[in-house]
Amino acid sequence: MASAKTDKFQFHDYYVVEDLLNEDHRMARQAVRDWVKQEVSPIIEEYSEKAECPQHLFKGLAEIGAFGPSLPIEYGGGGMDEIAYGVIMQELERGDSGIRSMASVQGSLVMYPIYRFGSEEQKKKYLPKLGSGEFIGCFGLTEPDHGSNPSGMITNIKDDGDAYILNGAKMWITNSPIADLAVVWAKDEEGKIRGLIVESGWEGFSAPEIKGKLSLRASITGELVFEDVRVPKENVLPEVVGLKGPLSCLSKARYGIAWGAIGAALDCYDSALRYSLEREQFGRPIGGFQLTQKKLAEMITEITKAQLLAWRLGSLANDGKATPAQISMAKRNNVNMALEIAREARQIHGGMGITSEYPIMRHMMNLETVLTYEGTHDIHLLITGMDVTGLNAFK
Ligand code: TGC
Ligand code: FAD
């Protein structure tokens, strides 16, 4: 089992993106950075190795404002802007993608749809408890046979007086086995997609854990199975009908991932840079060899490009102008960048790079999931392709 160790991470900001941040962004970033060093770094390798979710961190995440940083305070959010949300996700994923997932799902995939599409009663009933970490939520869109193509979903609701009867199954759902409630997307009798808030205690609801994950091991993932679950009509999200409901939530979460992935890349780069200066071969630090310098120089170049992309996307999002396709480009580029950097960092660490002494393999394995969830690498490429050509490769 990995032992708790000192976190030596130092932030790298080659183009001084720091200067583009305001005081609120810096304060939020510092608070989360300190929290990650204190609460996440000492335990994360151990939880990841034993494939256990550090559930005790939910309350801490709520306290540092990681759940819905850009949602209004009166609805359980942080009342900050989109850049603050981004820098918070970056700091969390610097610790671990699974910790960032805990915050992404709670804030962007559960609180956000209730805030954006819910009734006033639903907001009052659920948002404060979700914002404080008293309730854990999950988001059920993907099905066993409908991942990249959620419009084909078969989970459905049937009218039964003052309630709907929900049947079907969802797959790969972050936090489902420990969730108090799920935001579930299902088709009504006309085939229209509706969002429902489903409490886990209701009869016919079950959420078996998916075991054997070799990626995102500190995050818990499960199924959602609905067998004639009676969902009161007041638990249907009234303000949205159709796939644009869940896809808007995904835009919010993908935006956070575009920032978050930079954190994982920075942790790998920082470890590789330090190791290259300490590790000697042929009588000198390996950082002195041109091939190692090429790796490090390309890593910091790609991180810097990703930081600027995220910052610009954040400015557009603050002005309400970030398009879903722009978000797709940033999610795809930055996650792939982080995964490539993890692989290069692993090489710089030599054999030590495959051990849990260093965070590299954990980030690398995590990023394989991040490359796939919230829309795969190729789906985002096709979204960009559709945007620039006007031709839809999906239909
Ligand atoms: P399409 O006809 O293109 O769109 C249907 C309606 O939705 C609108 N729309 C969006 N709105 C907001 N944000 C977006 N990103 C949007 N994309 C599309 C669109 O304008 C349209 O609106 P309207 O008014 O005309 O009805 O839909 P399609 O069926 O052709 O699908 C397109 C496609 C393939 C891009 C989409 O289905 C897709 O993105 N697939 C990927 C699925 C995915 O990302 N699943 C993620 C599941 S959740 C998850 O992974 C959580 S991991 C959490 C964690 O642990 O961090
Ligand atoms: P598929 O859609 O079957 O794709 C398989 C391959 O085919 C991919 O490479 C894909 O790019 C490719 N492909 C598919 N269609 C096309 C096409 N038209 N053109 C070219 N290539 C194509 N979902 C939720 O709803 N909620 C969650 O909380 C959640 N958490 C997750 C946590 C983890 C750890 C994981 C692994 C997944 C999670 N997901 C969640 C599901 C995730 O969003 C899906 O795995 C993802 O959308 C891909 O779906 P799929 O796995 O069914 O792959």
PDB file of all heavy atoms in Angstrom, residues 100-101 104-105 109 139 141-142 147-151 174 243-244 247-248 250-251 254 257 324 373-375 379 383 392 394-395, ligand 1:
ATOM      1  N   ARG A 100     -11.932  15.592  -9.052  1.00  0.00           N
ATOM      2  CA  ARG A 100     -12.605  16.590  -9.902  1.00  0.00           C
ATOM      3  C   ARG A 100     -13.956  16.063 -10.389  1.00  0.00           C
ATOM      4  O   ARG A 100     -14.935  16.805 -10.459  1.00  0.00           O
ATOM      5  CB  ARG A 100     -11.687  16.969 -11.082  1.00  0.00           C
ATOM      6  CG  ARG A 100     -12.104  18.245 -11.796  1.00  0.00           C
ATOM      7  CD  ARG A 100     -12.961  18.004 -13.009  1.00  0.00           C
ATOM      8  NE  ARG A 100     -12.361  17.025 -13.865  1.00  0.00           N
ATOM      9  CZ  ARG A 100     -13.019  15.978 -14.379  1.00  0.00           C
ATOM     10  NH1 ARG A 100     -14.308  15.784 -14.138  1.00  0.00           N
ATOM     11  NH2 ARG A 100     -12.399  15.101 -15.143  1.00  0.00           N
ATOM     12  N   SER A 101     -14.015  14.761 -10.680  1.00  0.00           N
ATOM     13  CA  SER A 101     -15.288  14.155 -11.083  1.00  0.00           C
ATOM     14  C   SER A 101     -16.357  14.304  -9.994  1.00  0.00           C
ATOM     15  O   SER A 101     -17.519  14.545 -10.305  1.00  0.00           O
ATOM     16  CB  SER A 101     -15.088  12.657 -11.309  1.00  0.00           C
ATOM     17  OG  SER A 101     -15.094  12.339 -12.663  1.00  0.00           O
ATOM     18  N   SER A 104     -17.494  17.753 -10.454  1.00  0.00           N
ATOM     19  CA  SER A 104     -18.165  17.997 -11.754  1.00  0.00           C
ATOM     20  C   SER A 104     -19.579  17.459 -11.733  1.00  0.00           C
ATOM     21  O   SER A 104     -20.520  18.108 -12.188  1.00  0.00           O
ATOM     22  CB  SER A 104     -17.455  17.255 -12.890  1.00  0.00           C
ATOM     23  OG  SER A 104     -16.184  17.713 -13.118  1.00  0.00           O
ATOM     24  N   VAL A 105     -19.719  16.221 -11.245  1.00  0.00           N
ATOM     25  CA  VAL A 105     -21.035  15.584 -11.280  1.00  0.00           C
ATOM     26  C   VAL A 105     -21.997  16.339 -10.360  1.00  0.00           C
ATOM     27  O   VAL A 105     -23.101  16.721 -10.761  1.00  0.00           O
ATOM     28  CB  VAL A 105     -20.933  14.093 -10.881  1.00  0.00           C
ATOM     29  CG1 VAL A 105     -22.308  13.484 -10.689  1.00  0.00           C
ATOM     30  CG2 VAL A 105     -20.158  13.322 -11.939  1.00  0.00           C
ATOM     31  N   LEU A 109     -23.633  18.523 -13.225  1.00  0.00           N
ATOM     32  CA  LEU A 109     -24.566  17.547 -13.806  1.00  0.00           C
ATOM     33  C   LEU A 109     -25.786  17.285 -12.925  1.00  0.00           C
ATOM     34  O   LEU A 109     -26.755  16.690 -13.384  1.00  0.00           O
ATOM     35  CB  LEU A 109     -23.835  16.235 -14.110  1.00  0.00           C
ATOM     36  CG  LEU A 109     -22.720  16.334 -15.169  1.00  0.00           C
ATOM     37  CD1 LEU A 109     -22.060  14.978 -15.403  1.00  0.00           C
ATOM     38  CD2 LEU A 109     -23.245  16.886 -16.490  1.00  0.00           C
ATOM     39  N   PHE A 139     -25.800  11.514 -12.234  1.00  0.00           N
ATOM     40  CA  PHE A 139     -26.407  11.952 -13.501  1.00  0.00           C
ATOM     41  C   PHE A 139     -26.527  10.748 -14.424  1.00  0.00           C
ATOM     42  O   PHE A 139     -25.517  10.159 -14.817  1.00  0.00           O
ATOM     43  CB  PHE A 139     -25.475  13.003 -14.107  1.00  0.00           C
ATOM     44  CG  PHE A 139     -25.859  13.535 -15.469  1.00  0.00           C
ATOM     45  CD1 PHE A 139     -26.737  14.613 -15.601  1.00  0.00           C
ATOM     46  CD2 PHE A 139     -25.287  13.018 -16.621  1.00  0.00           C
ATOM     47  CE1 PHE A 139     -27.045  15.134 -16.852  1.00  0.00           C
ATOM     48  CE2 PHE A 139     -25.591  13.531 -17.880  1.00  0.00           C
ATOM     49  CZ  PHE A 139     -26.470  14.598 -17.989  1.00  0.00           C
ATOM     50  N   LEU A 141     -27.383   9.414 -17.865  1.00  0.00           N
ATOM     51  CA  LEU A 141     -27.698   9.589 -19.288  1.00  0.00           C
ATOM     52  C   LEU A 141     -27.317   8.317 -20.071  1.00  0.00           C
ATOM     53  O   LEU A 141     -28.137   7.737 -20.782  1.00  0.00           O
ATOM     54  CB  LEU A 141     -26.944  10.804 -19.857  1.00  0.00           C
ATOM     55  CG  LEU A 141     -27.166  11.066 -21.355  1.00  0.00           C
ATOM     56  CD1 LEU A 141     -28.621  11.446 -21.635  1.00  0.00           C
ATOM     57  CD2 LEU A 141     -26.240  12.194 -21.851  1.00  0.00           C
ATOM     58  N   THR A 142     -26.057   7.860 -19.901  1.00  0.00           N
ATOM     59  CA  THR A 142     -25.541   6.731 -20.676  1.00  0.00           C
ATOM     60  C   THR A 142     -26.284   5.438 -20.342  1.00  0.00           C
ATOM     61  O   THR A 142     -26.575   5.166 -19.171  1.00  0.00           O
ATOM     62  CB  THR A 142     -24.042   6.547 -20.355  1.00  0.00           C
ATOM     63  OG1 THR A 142     -23.382   7.785 -20.597  1.00  0.00           O
ATOM     64  CG2 THR A 142     -23.418   5.452 -21.198  1.00  0.00           C
ATOM     65  N   GLY A 147     -24.248   4.959 -25.619  1.00  0.00           N
ATOM     66  CA  GLY A 147     -23.246   5.800 -24.974  1.00  0.00           C
ATOM     67  C   GLY A 147     -23.056   7.091 -25.747  1.00  0.00           C
ATOM     68  O   GLY A 147     -23.611   8.133 -25.393  1.00  0.00           O
ATOM     69  N   SER A 148     -22.336   7.004 -26.866  1.00  0.00           N
ATOM     70  CA  SER A 148     -22.107   8.201 -27.689  1.00  0.00           C
ATOM     71  C   SER A 148     -23.402   8.728 -28.301  1.00  0.00           C
ATOM     72  O   SER A 148     -23.492   9.895 -28.665  1.00  0.00           O
ATOM     73  CB  SER A 148     -21.109   7.887 -28.810  1.00  0.00           C
ATOM     74  OG  SER A 148     -19.864   7.548 -28.253  1.00  0.00           O
ATOM     75  N   ASN A 149     -24.386   7.850 -28.429  1.00  0.00           N
ATOM     76  CA  ASN A 149     -25.651   8.243 -29.070  1.00  0.00           C
ATOM     77  C   ASN A 149     -26.803   8.196 -28.060  1.00  0.00           C
ATOM     78  O   ASN A 149     -27.669   7.324 -28.123  1.00  0.00           O
ATOM     79  CB  ASN A 149     -25.936   7.300 -30.249  1.00  0.00           C
ATOM     80  CG  ASN A 149     -27.261   7.619 -30.914  1.00  0.00           C
ATOM     81  OD1 ASN A 149     -27.735   8.759 -30.853  1.00  0.00           O
ATOM     82  ND2 ASN A 149     -27.863   6.630 -31.544  1.00  0.00           N
ATOM     83  N   PRO A 150     -26.830   9.163 -27.118  1.00  0.00           N
ATOM     84  CA  PRO A 150     -27.865   9.084 -26.068  1.00  0.00           C
ATOM     85  C   PRO A 150     -29.282   9.248 -26.596  1.00  0.00           C
ATOM     86  O   PRO A 150     -30.229   8.839 -25.922  1.00  0.00           O
ATOM     87  CB  PRO A 150     -27.485  10.236 -25.121  1.00  0.00           C
ATOM     88  CG  PRO A 150     -26.642  11.159 -25.935  1.00  0.00           C
ATOM     89  CD  PRO A 150     -25.941  10.319 -26.951  1.00  0.00           C
ATOM     90  N   SER A 151     -29.449   9.785 -27.803  1.00  0.00           N
ATOM     91  CA  SER A 151     -30.820   9.982 -28.297  1.00  0.00           C
ATOM     92  C   SER A 151     -31.537   8.645 -28.515  1.00  0.00           C
ATOM     93  O   SER A 151     -32.757   8.586 -28.583  1.00  0.00           O
ATOM     94  CB  SER A 151     -30.823  10.800 -29.595  1.00  0.00           C
ATOM     95  OG  SER A 151     -30.362  10.003 -30.656  1.00  0.00           O
ATOM     96  N   THR A 174     -21.150   7.798 -12.514  1.00  0.00           N
ATOM     97  CA  THR A 174     -20.291   8.252 -11.417  1.00  0.00           C
ATOM     98  C   THR A 174     -21.143   8.512 -10.174  1.00  0.00           C
ATOM     99  O   THR A 174     -22.166   9.205 -10.264  1.00  0.00           O
ATOM    100  CB  THR A 174     -19.540   9.552 -11.831  1.00  0.00           C
ATOM    101  OG1 THR A 174     -18.746   9.268 -12.968  1.00  0.00           O
ATOM    102  CG2 THR A 174     -18.674  10.072 -10.690  1.00  0.00           C
ATOM    103  N   LEU A 243     -33.186  16.392 -26.009  1.00  0.00           N
ATOM    104  CA  LEU A 243     -31.784  16.062 -25.727  1.00  0.00           C
ATOM    105  C   LEU A 243     -30.955  17.288 -25.362  1.00  0.00           C
ATOM    106  O   LEU A 243     -29.895  17.178 -24.731  1.00  0.00           O
ATOM    107  CB  LEU A 243     -31.174  15.360 -26.957  1.00  0.00           C
ATOM    108  CG  LEU A 243     -29.835  14.655 -26.764  1.00  0.00           C
ATOM    109  CD1 LEU A 243     -29.936  13.554 -25.705  1.00  0.00           C
ATOM    110  CD2 LEU A 243     -29.335  14.065 -28.075  1.00  0.00           C
ATOM    111  N   LYS A 244     -31.439  18.471 -25.745  1.00  0.00           N
ATOM    112  CA  LYS A 244     -30.662  19.654 -25.391  1.00  0.00           C
ATOM    113  C   LYS A 244     -30.587  19.835 -23.863  1.00  0.00           C
ATOM    114  O   LYS A 244     -29.675  20.499 -23.369  1.00  0.00           O
ATOM    115  CB  LYS A 244     -31.183  20.905 -26.073  1.00  0.00           C
ATOM    116  CG  LYS A 244     -32.561  21.355 -25.660  1.00  0.00           C
ATOM    117  CD  LYS A 244     -32.858  22.685 -26.360  1.00  0.00           C
ATOM    118  CE  LYS A 244     -34.234  23.209 -26.033  1.00  0.00           C
ATOM    119  NZ  LYS A 244     -35.316  22.437 -26.672  1.00  0.00           N
ATOM    120  N   LEU A 247     -27.600  17.640 -22.823  1.00  0.00           N
ATOM    121  CA  LEU A 247     -26.408  18.135 -23.532  1.00  0.00           C
ATOM    122  C   LEU A 247     -25.970  19.503 -22.998  1.00  0.00           C
ATOM    123  O   LEU A 247     -24.776  19.803 -22.963  1.00  0.00           O
ATOM    124  CB  LEU A 247     -26.645  18.178 -25.045  1.00  0.00           C
ATOM    125  CG  LEU A 247     -26.745  16.802 -25.730  1.00  0.00           C
ATOM    126  CD1 LEU A 247     -26.970  16.941 -27.237  1.00  0.00           C
ATOM    127  CD2 LEU A 247     -25.514  15.934 -25.490  1.00  0.00           C
ATOM    128  N   SER A 248     -26.910  20.319 -22.535  1.00  0.00           N
ATOM    129  CA  SER A 248     -26.498  21.605 -21.937  1.00  0.00           C
ATOM    130  C   SER A 248     -25.719  21.371 -20.647  1.00  0.00           C
ATOM    131  O   SER A 248     -24.776  22.105 -20.336  1.00  0.00           O
ATOM    132  CB  SER A 248     -27.675  22.493 -21.572  1.00  0.00           C
ATOM    133  OG  SER A 248     -28.680  22.418 -22.483  1.00  0.00           O
ATOM    134  N   LEU A 250     -23.912  18.796 -20.096  1.00  0.00           N
ATOM    135  CA  LEU A 250     -22.599  18.300 -20.522  1.00  0.00           C
ATOM    136  C   LEU A 250     -21.706  19.458 -20.944  1.00  0.00           C
ATOM    137  O   LEU A 250     -20.509  19.452 -20.661  1.00  0.00           O
ATOM    138  CB  LEU A 250     -22.748  17.295 -21.667  1.00  0.00           C
ATOM    139  CG  LEU A 250     -23.403  15.966 -21.281  1.00  0.00           C
ATOM    140  CD1 LEU A 250     -23.494  15.048 -22.484  1.00  0.00           C
ATOM    141  CD2 LEU A 250     -22.634  15.279 -20.163  1.00  0.00           C
ATOM    142  N   SER A 251     -22.273  20.462 -21.589  1.00  0.00           N
ATOM    143  CA  SER A 251     -21.457  21.619 -21.967  1.00  0.00           C
ATOM    144  C   SER A 251     -20.815  22.228 -20.727  1.00  0.00           C
ATOM    145  O   SER A 251     -19.641  22.587 -20.734  1.00  0.00           O
ATOM    146  CB  SER A 251     -22.316  22.684 -22.655  1.00  0.00           C
ATOM    147  OG  SER A 251     -22.510  22.330 -24.002  1.00  0.00           O
ATOM    148  N   ARG A 254     -18.142  19.683 -19.462  1.00  0.00           N
ATOM    149  CA  ARG A 254     -16.989  19.582 -20.383  1.00  0.00           C
ATOM    150  C   ARG A 254     -16.098  20.806 -20.254  1.00  0.00           C
ATOM    151  O   ARG A 254     -14.872  20.712 -20.357  1.00  0.00           O
ATOM    152  CB  ARG A 254     -17.500  19.459 -21.833  1.00  0.00           C
ATOM    153  CG  ARG A 254     -18.180  18.143 -22.139  1.00  0.00           C
ATOM    154  CD  ARG A 254     -18.968  18.228 -23.452  1.00  0.00           C
ATOM    155  NE  ARG A 254     -19.563  16.948 -23.802  1.00  0.00           N
ATOM    156  CZ  ARG A 254     -20.402  16.783 -24.825  1.00  0.00           C
ATOM    157  NH1 ARG A 254     -20.753  17.808 -25.593  1.00  0.00           N
ATOM    158  NH2 ARG A 254     -20.907  15.588 -25.088  1.00  0.00           N
ATOM    159  N   ILE A 257     -13.878  20.252 -17.422  1.00  0.00           N
ATOM    160  CA  ILE A 257     -12.846  19.244 -17.721  1.00  0.00           C
ATOM    161  C   ILE A 257     -11.717  19.874 -18.547  1.00  0.00           C
ATOM    162  O   ILE A 257     -10.542  19.533 -18.366  1.00  0.00           O
ATOM    163  CB  ILE A 257     -13.475  18.040 -18.450  1.00  0.00           C
ATOM    164  CG1 ILE A 257     -14.390  17.292 -17.484  1.00  0.00           C
ATOM    165  CG2 ILE A 257     -12.404  17.100 -19.000  1.00  0.00           C
ATOM    166  CD1 ILE A 257     -15.167  16.149 -18.111  1.00  0.00           C
ATOM    167  N   PRO A 324     -21.142  25.389 -27.709  1.00  0.00           N
ATOM    168  CA  PRO A 324     -20.848  23.984 -27.409  1.00  0.00           C
ATOM    169  C   PRO A 324     -19.664  23.462 -28.219  1.00  0.00           C
ATOM    170  O   PRO A 324     -18.843  22.695 -27.717  1.00  0.00           O
ATOM    171  CB  PRO A 324     -22.149  23.266 -27.781  1.00  0.00           C
ATOM    172  CG  PRO A 324     -23.215  24.296 -27.566  1.00  0.00           C
ATOM    173  CD  PRO A 324     -22.591  25.601 -27.969  1.00  0.00           C
ATOM    174  N   TYR A 373     -15.136   9.827 -21.235  1.00  0.00           N
ATOM    175  CA  TYR A 373     -16.450  10.289 -20.727  1.00  0.00           C
ATOM    176  C   TYR A 373     -16.701  11.733 -21.125  1.00  0.00           C
ATOM    177  O   TYR A 373     -15.831  12.421 -21.622  1.00  0.00           O
ATOM    178  CB  TYR A 373     -16.652   9.997 -19.251  1.00  0.00           C
ATOM    179  CG  TYR A 373     -15.891  10.735 -18.184  1.00  0.00           C
ATOM    180  CD1 TYR A 373     -15.264  11.941 -18.371  1.00  0.00           C
ATOM    181  CD2 TYR A 373     -15.845  10.194 -16.886  1.00  0.00           C
ATOM    182  CE1 TYR A 373     -14.616  12.600 -17.341  1.00  0.00           C
ATOM    183  CE2 TYR A 373     -15.193  10.836 -15.851  1.00  0.00           C
ATOM    184  CZ  TYR A 373     -14.585  12.041 -16.087  1.00  0.00           C
ATOM    185  OH  TYR A 373     -13.948  12.678 -15.066  1.00  0.00           O
ATOM    186  N   GLU A 374     -17.943  12.141 -20.938  1.00  0.00           N
ATOM    187  CA  GLU A 374     -18.382  13.488 -21.351  1.00  0.00           C
ATOM    188  C   GLU A 374     -18.189  13.680 -22.862  1.00  0.00           C
ATOM    189  O   GLU A 374     -17.897  14.783 -23.312  1.00  0.00           O
ATOM    190  CB  GLU A 374     -17.589  14.567 -20.605  1.00  0.00           C
ATOM    191  CG  GLU A 374     -17.716  14.486 -19.114  1.00  0.00           C
ATOM    192  CD  GLU A 374     -18.836  15.323 -18.584  1.00  0.00           C
ATOM    193  OE1 GLU A 374     -19.593  15.883 -19.404  1.00  0.00           O
ATOM    194  OE2 GLU A 374     -18.964  15.409 -17.343  1.00  0.00           O
ATOM    195  N   GLY A 375     -18.329  12.606 -23.623  1.00  0.00           N
ATOM    196  CA  GLY A 375     -18.109  12.660 -25.069  1.00  0.00           C
ATOM    197  C   GLY A 375     -16.692  12.216 -25.374  1.00  0.00           C
ATOM    198  O   GLY A 375     -15.731  12.763 -24.841  1.00  0.00           O
ATOM    199  N   ILE A 379     -15.817  11.757 -30.792  1.00  0.00           N
ATOM    200  CA  ILE A 379     -17.113  12.465 -30.886  1.00  0.00           C
ATOM    201  C   ILE A 379     -16.860  13.978 -30.896  1.00  0.00           C
ATOM    202  O   ILE A 379     -17.456  14.722 -31.689  1.00  0.00           O
ATOM    203  CB  ILE A 379     -18.056  12.047 -29.727  1.00  0.00           C
ATOM    204  CG1 ILE A 379     -18.520  10.591 -29.890  1.00  0.00           C
ATOM    205  CG2 ILE A 379     -19.248  13.005 -29.605  1.00  0.00           C
ATOM    206  CD1 ILE A 379     -19.357  10.278 -31.128  1.00  0.00           C
ATOM    207  N   ILE A 383     -17.778  16.803 -33.676  1.00  0.00           N
ATOM    208  CA  ILE A 383     -18.541  18.034 -33.378  1.00  0.00           C
ATOM    209  C   ILE A 383     -17.822  19.234 -34.017  1.00  0.00           C
ATOM    210  O   ILE A 383     -18.452  20.096 -34.639  1.00  0.00           O
ATOM    211  CB  ILE A 383     -18.726  18.205 -31.850  1.00  0.00           C
ATOM    212  CG1 ILE A 383     -19.681  17.117 -31.313  1.00  0.00           C
ATOM    213  CG2 ILE A 383     -19.250  19.599 -31.512  1.00  0.00           C
ATOM    214  CD1 ILE A 383     -19.798  17.040 -29.801  1.00  0.00           C
ATOM    215  N   ASN A 392     -23.216  17.096 -41.057  1.00  0.00           N
ATOM    216  CA  ASN A 392     -23.362  16.287 -39.846  1.00  0.00           C
ATOM    217  C   ASN A 392     -22.935  14.842 -40.108  1.00  0.00           C
ATOM    218  O   ASN A 392     -23.598  14.129 -40.857  1.00  0.00           O
ATOM    219  CB  ASN A 392     -24.841  16.348 -39.405  1.00  0.00           C
ATOM    220  CG  ASN A 392     -25.080  15.694 -38.066  1.00  0.00           C
ATOM    221  OD1 ASN A 392     -24.294  14.856 -37.624  1.00  0.00           O
ATOM    222  ND2 ASN A 392     -26.169  16.076 -37.417  1.00  0.00           N
ATOM    223  N   PHE A 394     -22.976  12.485 -37.980  1.00  0.00           N
ATOM    224  CA  PHE A 394     -23.687  11.536 -37.122  1.00  0.00           C
ATOM    225  C   PHE A 394     -24.955  11.003 -37.778  1.00  0.00           C
ATOM    226  O   PHE A 394     -25.506   9.994 -37.352  1.00  0.00           O
ATOM    227  CB  PHE A 394     -24.083  12.196 -35.790  1.00  0.00           C
ATOM    228  CG  PHE A 394     -22.905  12.686 -34.993  1.00  0.00           C
ATOM    229  CD1 PHE A 394     -22.673  14.033 -34.795  1.00  0.00           C
ATOM    230  CD2 PHE A 394     -22.016  11.780 -34.437  1.00  0.00           C
ATOM    231  CE1 PHE A 394     -21.595  14.476 -34.069  1.00  0.00           C
ATOM    232  CE2 PHE A 394     -20.924  12.210 -33.696  1.00  0.00           C
ATOM    233  CZ  PHE A 394     -20.710  13.569 -33.518  1.00  0.00           C
ATOM    234  N   LYS A 395     -25.480  11.726 -38.756  1.00  0.00           N
ATOM    235  CA  LYS A 395     -26.812  11.346 -39.278  1.00  0.00           C
ATOM    236  C   LYS A 395     -26.761  11.047 -40.764  1.00  0.00           C
ATOM    237  O   LYS A 395     -25.917  11.569 -41.475  1.00  0.00           O
ATOM    238  CB  LYS A 395     -27.809  12.472 -39.004  1.00  0.00           C
ATOM    239  CG  LYS A 395     -28.152  12.541 -37.517  1.00  0.00           C
ATOM    240  CD  LYS A 395     -29.044  13.717 -37.183  1.00  0.00           C
ATOM    241  CE  LYS A 395     -29.338  13.718 -35.672  1.00  0.00           C
ATOM    242  NZ  LYS A 395     -29.754  14.996 -35.158  1.00  0.00           N
TER     243      LYS A 395
HETATM  244  P1  TGC B   1     -28.361  16.930 -31.955  1.00  0.00           P
HETATM  245  O1  TGC B   1     -29.514  16.781 -32.893  1.00  0.00           O
HETATM  246  O2  TGC B   1     -27.055  17.443 -32.464  1.00  0.00           O
HETATM  247  O3  TGC B   1     -28.785  17.881 -30.733  1.00  0.00           O
HETATM  248  C1  TGC B   1     -30.012  17.731 -30.055  1.00  0.00           C
HETATM  249  C2  TGC B   1     -30.352  19.087 -29.435  1.00  0.00           C
HETATM  250  O4  TGC B   1     -29.350  19.433 -28.449  1.00  0.00           O
HETATM  251  C3  TGC B   1     -28.687  20.659 -28.813  1.00  0.00           C
HETATM  252  N1  TGC B   1     -27.272  20.480 -28.461  1.00  0.00           N
HETATM  253  C4  TGC B   1     -26.702  21.041 -27.387  1.00  0.00           C
HETATM  254  N2  TGC B   1     -27.161  21.901 -26.474  1.00  0.00           N
HETATM  255  C5  TGC B   1     -26.316  22.281 -25.493  1.00  0.00           C
HETATM  256  N3  TGC B   1     -25.049  21.851 -25.379  1.00  0.00           N
HETATM  257  C6  TGC B   1     -24.550  20.965 -26.284  1.00  0.00           C
HETATM  258  N4  TGC B   1     -23.296  20.520 -26.143  1.00  0.00           N
HETATM  259  C7  TGC B   1     -25.377  20.535 -27.348  1.00  0.00           C
HETATM  260  N5  TGC B   1     -25.209  19.686 -28.402  1.00  0.00           N
HETATM  261  C8  TGC B   1     -26.366  19.658 -29.076  1.00  0.00           C
HETATM  262  C9  TGC B   1     -28.930  20.804 -30.305  1.00  0.00           C
HETATM  263  O5  TGC B   1     -28.847  22.152 -30.708  1.00  0.00           O
HETATM  264  C10 TGC B   1     -30.326  20.236 -30.447  1.00  0.00           C
HETATM  265  O6  TGC B   1     -31.235  21.214 -29.956  1.00  0.00           O
HETATM  266  P2  TGC B   1     -32.736  21.334 -30.547  1.00  0.00           P
HETATM  267  O7  TGC B   1     -33.292  22.572 -29.908  1.00  0.00           O
HETATM  268  O8  TGC B   1     -32.568  21.474 -32.035  1.00  0.00           O
HETATM  269  O9  TGC B   1     -33.454  20.111 -30.155  1.00  0.00           O
HETATM  270  O10 TGC B   1     -28.190  15.534 -31.210  1.00  0.00           O
HETATM  271  P3  TGC B   1     -27.632  14.149 -31.733  1.00  0.00           P
HETATM  272  O11 TGC B   1     -28.558  13.082 -31.241  1.00  0.00           O
HETATM  273  O12 TGC B   1     -27.341  14.195 -33.208  1.00  0.00           O
HETATM  274  O13 TGC B   1     -26.267  13.986 -30.923  1.00  0.00           O
HETATM  275  C11 TGC B   1     -25.159  14.733 -31.173  1.00  0.00           C
HETATM  276  C12 TGC B   1     -23.947  14.222 -30.331  1.00  0.00           C
HETATM  277  C13 TGC B   1     -23.419  12.913 -30.857  1.00  0.00           C
HETATM  278  C14 TGC B   1     -22.881  15.299 -30.485  1.00  0.00           C
HETATM  279  C15 TGC B   1     -24.360  14.072 -28.852  1.00  0.00           C
HETATM  280  O14 TGC B   1     -25.259  13.064 -28.672  1.00  0.00           O
HETATM  281  C16 TGC B   1     -23.185  13.851 -27.937  1.00  0.00           C
HETATM  282  O15 TGC B   1     -22.579  14.800 -27.456  1.00  0.00           O
HETATM  283  N6  TGC B   1     -22.836  12.538 -27.609  1.00  0.00           N
HETATM  284  C17 TGC B   1     -21.848  12.249 -26.597  1.00  0.00           C
HETATM  285  C18 TGC B   1     -22.562  11.710 -25.365  1.00  0.00           C
HETATM  286  C19 TGC B   1     -21.902  12.131 -24.098  1.00  0.00           C
HETATM  287  O16 TGC B   1     -21.100  13.074 -24.039  1.00  0.00           O
HETATM  288  N7  TGC B   1     -22.255  11.486 -22.996  1.00  0.00           N
HETATM  289  C20 TGC B   1     -21.765  11.852 -21.730  1.00  0.00           C
HETATM  290  C21 TGC B   1     -22.542  11.184 -20.625  1.00  0.00           C
HETATM  291  S1  TGC B   1     -22.361  11.954 -19.037  1.00  0.00           S
HETATM  292  C22 TGC B   1     -20.786  11.641 -18.577  1.00  0.00           C
HETATM  293  O17 TGC B   1     -19.981  11.119 -19.254  1.00  0.00           O
HETATM  294  C23 TGC B   1     -20.463  12.105 -17.228  1.00  0.00           C
HETATM  295  S2  TGC B   1     -18.871  11.732 -16.673  1.00  0.00           S
HETATM  296  C24 TGC B   1     -18.913  12.686 -15.293  1.00  0.00           C
HETATM  297  C25 TGC B   1     -17.713  12.685 -14.465  1.00  0.00           C
HETATM  298  O18 TGC B   1     -17.479  11.697 -13.736  1.00  0.00           O
HETATM  299  O19 TGC B   1     -17.021  13.722 -14.454  1.00  0.00           O
END
